[in-house]
Amino acid sequence: MTTGTVRDATFDVLRRTGMTTIFSNPGSTEVPLLAGLPEDLEFVLALHEGSVVGMATGWALARERPALALLHTTAGLGNAVGAIATARVNRAPVVVVVGQQDRRHLALEPFLTGRLHGLAGDYPVWVDQPARAQDVPGAIARAAHEAVTGRGPALVVVPMDDWTADWDGTVVAAPQVVARPTAVDDADLAPLVALIEAAESPVIVSGAGADSPRTWEGLVALAERLGCPVWQESFGARAGFPQDHPLFAGILPAGRAGLRAALRRYDAVLAVGAPVFRQYPYEPGPLVEPGTRVAIVSDDPAEVHRSPAELAFLADPGVVAARLAALLPARPHSPEGVVRAVAAPSRPTAGEPLRAAHVMHELALRLPPEAVVVEETPSSRPDLHRLLPARRPLGFLSAAMGGLGFALPAAVGLRMAAPYRPVVAVMGDGSAIYGIQALWSAAHYGVGALFVVLANGRYAVMDRLAEKNGAGKAPWPAFTEVSLSATARSFGCPATRVDTYGDLVAALDEIVPDLGSRTEPLLLEITVIPDTEFHP
């Protein structure tokens, strides 16, 4: 456009980049942008800024294109920093626009002036405050490209008076389309082909960066070509391989001793879409046994650059996996096989309390293959991985950063972006409390996700870690007074409390068959006893 306001020109940018859904919890500095919003732009209100960015994160991951989050100056950005950090580590392309006081008297630091530069730390992949109002549309267009290329949140600070400034047809300083070729030359792959060919017993480690239909297809072909098992990276935020495939070996241990033991039989390890290697507790010693050769394929530069590998390929994992499957000679499957024996938990007797494993097992019996499970239940994550495999790309999602408050808003945004897929968020009650405000958005906008809350009335994972570290009794109390079902209803979200196995089966039998077509959220608060063991 050649006339109008900066606001009008920005709306054109949003239309062109597909960012027509605006997730926000606005304040006065955002009113000039939002008042009288055009009907073709959808506004989605969240009741906390963490939920704003969390919902945008889920939306971006489901659509695989930038989502727009609009925040209110210092308080809004400050409240959202944890969610911005999670979006970065989850590789979610989110454009974060932050309101600022009127440019014309910023020098006087009026009320609501934000000292915004650096407030989000290094977590944004790109940050800009345009030098003049007419540069705002170009900055937002560039932020969309930066978010996709950098695989994370890109942040633009906009003073509130910029929106009503005249737009005089100034050049938008960003391309309309950015092409990102993914071809890989066979000659470039020659060293990796030679490394794998020389191995007697290769193994693949897949990660969150391999979670796409093309990469799943390529990795399945490669694993079957090599007859080798596929492990999932520990603490992976997404599943990089079908977890019901016969060659899927399980989740790698998060400590070095366990990692070495799991990979001891293999003389070559190929990490695809995963770093070398993600860990949690520090343990001394090498990552793999001496003599084991390690290679990595990832499209994340930071992941590649920090991995202690013999060979590293900064390239599209799906393209590389498919070419390797074509270039490498076929091998027989390992004689001992890698089929995992998954024992279902025994059905509780009358009066016996529910455990998290009972809930995971019953969900696994009912959920269709295309279901998306969003996880945030640290103390029972091993049960979820063991009993509830991801069978489709984006079938599993969790917070790569580890901070609480992700699953509930992410499930809302994801279901909004992918209404054709059943979405279940499985959370501990301690985790759900951090993102509980998103239930209002789910109810108000008719988001038919299922929220399964495993309620043990405490931070069970913290209790287990305190015991493991020999610290004696943990000083923090339980919070058994909290009722998540009552809280959900207060936000307008239907909720049911489940205390027995019979109630659990009845509730899931009623809900799951229609989960893909629901237009109303539901929270199930399921009383479980804390697990006695936790293995990170």
Side-chain angles (χ1 to χ4, degrees):
M1 64 181 300
T2 57
T3 61
T5 64
V6 166
R7 176 178 183 263
D8 296 327
T10 298
F11 290 156
D12 281 349
V13 166
L14 299 185
R15 296 179 182 109
R16 175 161 55 81
T17 55
M19 296 189 296
T20 55
T21 300
I22 304 171
F23 297 94
S24 183
N25 182 268
S28 57
T29 53
E30 292 70 58
V31 169
L33 171 66
L34 296 172
L37 195 68
E39 291 186 1
D40 64 326
L41 301 179
E42 181 183 7
F43 181 89
V44 176
L45 176 66
L47 302 187
H48 185 272
E49 291 85 357
S51 295
V52 169
V53 175
M55 290 163 63
T57 297
W59 196 100
L61 291 173
R63 291 285 180 94
E64 296 185 326
R65 68 173 193 242
L68 180 62
L70 179 65
L71 304 178
H72 175 54
T73 192
T74 308
L77 179 57
N79 284 342
V81 168
I84 289 171
T86 296
R88 172 66 180 270
V89 185
N90 273 81
R91 302 178 174 188
V94 179
V95 173
V96 182
V97 175
V98 184
Q100 174 63 292
Q101 245 287 4
D102 193 302
R103 186 189 292 269
R104 293 167 295 187
H105 66 160
L106 276 178
L108 300 176
E109 293 201 15
F111 181 65
L112 292 180
T113 300
R115 297 187 179 183
L116 304 173
H117 281 282
L119 183 57
D122 293 332
Y123 291 114
V125 298
W126 184 73
V127 179
D128 187 38
Q129 178 171 322
R132 60 192 189 118
Q134 288 73 23
D135 295 329
V136 167
I140 292 175
R142 177 175 172 179
H145 297 316
E146 296 280 0
V148 172
T149 301
R151 308 286 292 276
L155 193 150
V156 181
V157 177
V158 183
M160 60 191 296
D161 59 311
D162 283 9
W163 301 117
T164 55
D166 289 338
W167 173 254
D168 56 5
T170 300
V171 173
V172 174
Q176 291 196 21
V177 177
V178 174
R180 299 176 177 86
T182 58
V184 176
D185 193 285
D186 288 355
D188 293 332
L189 290 178
L192 184 54
V193 170
L195 185 149
I196 297 173
E197 280 188 323
E200 294 184 4
S201 180
V203 65
I204 296 171
V205 175
S206 68
D211 187 25
S212 71
R214 180 170 62 182
T215 310
W216 276 38
E217 182 181 355
L219 278 178
V220 167
L222 178 59
E224 292 177 349
R225 187 81 170 166
L226 297 176
C228 75
V230 179
W231 288 88
Q232 174 77 27
E233 65 170 328
S234 63
F235 291 96
R238 295 169 69 169
F241 191 81
Q243 296 178 345
D244 59 343
H245 192 282
L247 290 174
F248 180 66
I251 311 296
L252 279 177
R256 294 189 185 188
L259 179 67
R260 290 194 298 272
L263 300 178
R264 181 169 290 131
R265 302 203 317 261
Y266 313 109
D267 58 351
V269 182
L270 175 63
V272 181
V276 178
F277 291 103
R278 200 163 197 214
Q279 306 262 270
Y280 173 51
Y282 171 74
E283 293 178 0
L287 295 170
V288 295
E289 293 292 339
T292 300
R293 305 177 73 184
V294 178
I296 176 175
V297 178
S298 174
D299 59 0
D300 184 332
E303 195 167 78
V304 165
H305 295 162
R306 71 173 180 266
S307 291
E310 178 179 337
L311 281 174
F313 284 79
L314 183 58
D316 184 291
V319 174
V320 172
R323 286 308 300 155
L324 288 176
L327 294 170
L328 287 163
R331 301 184 184 206
H333 285 207
S334 175
E336 69 271 19
V338 293
V339 177
R340 298 182 306 142
V342 179
S346 58
R347 182 170 178 165
T349 59
E352 183 182 352
L354 285 169
R355 295 184 178 275
H358 295 131
V359 180
M360 308 301 183
H361 176 63
E362 296 301 330
L363 280 171
L365 291 177
R366 293 165 175 81
L367 288 178
E370 69 273 14
V372 182
V373 175
V374 186
E375 176 271 328
E376 196 167 43
T377 172
S379 63
S380 49
R381 184 181 292 121
D383 283 330
L384 187 147
H385 283 319
R386 181 171 59 89
L387 296 167
L388 199 53
R391 292 170 285 173
R392 297 287 188 276
L394 197 60
F396 171 79
L397 179 64
S398 69
M401 191 65 188
L404 301 182
F406 171 77
L408 205 157
V412 176
L414 196 153
R415 172 69 178 189
M416 292 179 76
Y420 50 88
R421 294 191 70 169
V423 175
V424 181
V426 181
M427 305 162 285
D429 47 358
S431 300
I433 291 169
Y434 277 77
I436 199 70
Q437 301 93 338
L439 288 177
W440 180 90
S441 301
H444 183 82
Y445 294 103
V447 179
L450 173 62
F451 304 100
V452 175
V453 177
L454 306 175
N456 54 37
R458 65 196 71 240
Y459 293 118
V461 66
M462 296 296 294
D463 294 344
R464 300 292 84 81
L465 288 172
E467 293 167 5
K468 183 178 179 181
N469 289 334
K473 183 176 176 2
W476 46 84
F479 46 86
T480 52
E481 307 89 343
V482 175
S483 170
L484 270 296
S485 53
T487 304
R489 287 189 287 269
S490 75
F491 281 112
C493 177
T496 300
R497 185 177 176 92
V498 173
D499 294 309
T500 68
Y501 181 78
D503 291 343
L504 172 66
V505 170
L508 294 180
D509 280 344
E510 178 182 355
I511 297 159
V512 173
D514 299 323
L515 189 56
S517 59
R518 285 186 68 94
T519 57
E520 182 181 61
L522 178 66
L523 182 140
L524 292 182
E525 182 181 21
I526 304 173
T527 306
V528 298
I529 60 172
D531 292 318
T532 57
E533 295 184 4
F534 170 64
H535 303 286

